[in-house]
Amino acid sequence: MGEMETLYSSQFKTGAYPFYEDKRRTQPVFPMSEDNGYTSWLVTKYDDVKELLKSSSFIKDQSRLYATKDKPSPDQGLNIFENMMLDADPPDHTRLRKLVQPYFNPKTIKLLEPRIHEITDELLAEMESKTAPVDLIDDFAFPLPIIVISEMLGVPVEDREKFRKWSNTIVAASDNMAGDFVEDVEAFTLYLTDLFEKRRAHPREDLISYLLQTEDEGDQLSKNELYSMVVLLIIAGHETTVNLIGNTMYALFEHPDQLKRLKEDLSLVPQTLEEGLRFYSPVDFSTARWAAEDMDLHGETIRKGDFILASISSANRDEAKFIHADHFDITRQKNAHVAFGFGIHFCLGAPLARMEGKAAVEKLLHTFPDIHLDSERELPEWRPVFLLRGLQSLPVQLSYR
């Protein structure tokens, strides 16, 4: 199996960190594969990843590298991925981000705090009513952020399991573009079309109603951009937070001394979350970038059009940047991780994710101070999804028998 196929396999997650350590030491800009004269590169060191994330020499919109005749025609029909902000460069990225930025700035997010605490308390009460072991992902880490982003957007919370299924299919698309992918994307598109019609007829004080108004006003938001924006907000609005909560709790269970210290001093929750973001980064890799020009990097010749992949997880374990990088330390002081990215594509929802994570971990440990992994179950497994690092499940006992 070639290196590229290895990276895309579900088995890669478990042994990823030794692999990254080896590449940082031996070949920090690593050629994964070649196709039609172009090379796909993996960048693993912190400084290089940070430069890649901010540099205009690496672009997100691959179509800018094509001749005009090769670019997709604008009348090919609706494509919910074609104009996604995550894959746009300035000025389109600047325009799209500016439209939704007011809904995600720290001041606006602060207004959501009481509701986030209320949802967290409701979920904990539901968990407390269960006698069997609970799955911390299904019963807590997933519903919290999906309820919050659903209420922000104005989509029915009762449809959250649909969003979960569609989201799982879409983020796993790098592993398998066949089967459920086309069917789920069509279902997602039809769902949004129906929802948009309802919101146009009966606008509300929500983000979708605002975006629809922006689309109707003219050239600020196209139809494709509208669909892509809502899909991105639904998926990105919960996926990374699910992983932040689940991964951080898993790391705490793996390091009982750190868990004990946190339970003795819950004021360490914000630092714990930052260490969780670094140690088990919710996003393993940056989204795709391409070289806009020929360049040299660590002695490797990168040509215009080459595919560049930055390993967020590797950067966050770089021993040249972090003292005892492979140690999980909730009191770590210098923690300039890049779990939320860097530069103009820095995660729009970072303030929201941090607020949700803080409420979740703080209240969870306050309500269930004896929470621990269910020893009768097998160890948790990572989801077989290339882009993200998250657990399939996290079975726990809420108290000792």
Side-chain angles (χ1 to χ4, degrees), residues 106-177:
K107 185 177 179 180
T108 304
I109 294 303
K110 184 68 177 175
L111 299 175
L112 297 174
E113 190 170 23
R115 178 57 181 148
I116 289 171
H117 281 260
E118 184 179 17
I119 295 167
T120 305
D121 288 337
E122 290 170 357
L123 293 171
L124 291 171
E126 290 177 16
M127 289 167 59
E128 198 166 19
S129 68
K130 298 184 178 182
T131 56
V134 301
D135 181 353
L136 206 56
I137 304 299
D138 282 352
D139 295 325
F140 189 60
F142 166 72
L144 172 58
I146 197 66
I147 291 171
V148 173
I149 196 63
S150 295
E151 291 184 354
M152 287 180 67
L153 285 165
V155 298
V157 172
E158 58 267 25
D159 292 332
R160 65 193 191 198
E161 286 301 329
K162 293 180 183 176
F163 302 145
R164 188 179 196 181
K165 181 178 185 299
W166 296 332
S167 176
N168 284 341
T169 300
I170 290 168
V171 299
S174 57
D175 297 311
N176 179 19
M177 290 291 287

Side-chain angles (χ1 to χ4, degrees), residues 50-89:
K50 199 169 180 179
E51 180 63 26
L52 170 61
L53 294 178
K54 73 175 184 179
S55 174
S56 59
S57 296
F58 302 98
I59 62 175
K60 305 278 290 196
D61 182 2
Q62 186 186 22
S63 69
R64 289 171 57 192
L65 299 172
Y66 300 152
T68 303
K69 65 181 179 61
D70 295 325
K71 290 183 179 181
S73 170
D75 58 354
Q76 285 180 332
L78 181 63
N79 184 336
I80 65 172
F81 305 110
E82 190 174 296
N83 298 99
M84 195 165 279
M85 179 174 64
L86 195 63
D87 298 323
D89 297 302

Side-chain angles (χ1 to χ4, degrees), residues 303-339:
R303 300 190 182 281
K304 180 179 178 180
D306 279 359
F307 173 79
I308 315 290
L309 190 63
S311 174
I312 303 296
S313 290
S314 178
N316 284 338
R317 295 282 193 101
D318 189 344
E319 47 286 312
K321 179 65 180 180
F322 301 98
I323 298 173
H324 304 304
D326 283 330
H327 291 186
F328 181 72
D329 178 6
I330 66 171
T331 63
R332 186 179 296 274
Q333 295 300 311
K334 296 181 179 180
N335 195 352
H337 63 74
V338 287

Side-chain angles (χ1 to χ4, degrees), residues 5 9 18 27 83 88 103 106 115 119 127 151 180 186 229 238 249 261 268 293 306 318 333 337 349 355 357 366 401:
E5 288 78 8
S9 73
Q27 201 169 12
N83 298 99
Y103 281 80
R115 178 57 181 148
I119 295 167
M127 289 167 59
E151 291 184 354
D180 290 344
E186 289 179 351
M229 180 70 78
H238 81 274
M249 288 306 303
R261 187 166 191 172
L268 291 172
E293 57 195 35
D306 279 359
D318 189 344
Q333 295 300 311
H337 63 74
M355 179 175 286
H366 176 77
R401 294 189 182 94

Side-chain angles (χ1 to χ4, degrees), residues 36-56:
N36 293 326
Y38 293 101
T39 304
S40 294
W41 301 91
L42 177 67
V43 178
T44 56
K45 290 187 70 67
Y46 179 93
D47 288 341
D48 297 332
V49 166
K50 199 169 180 179
E51 180 63 26
L52 170 61
L53 294 178
K54 73 175 184 179
S55 174
S56 59

Side-chain angles (χ1 to χ4, degrees), residues 11-21 284-285 313-314 389:
Q11 291 78 27
F12 177 70
K13 300 290 181 187
T14 303
Y17 290 107
F19 173 86
Y20 295 145
E21 191 278 330
D284 254 339
F285 300 99
S313 290
S314 178
R389 175 173 289 274

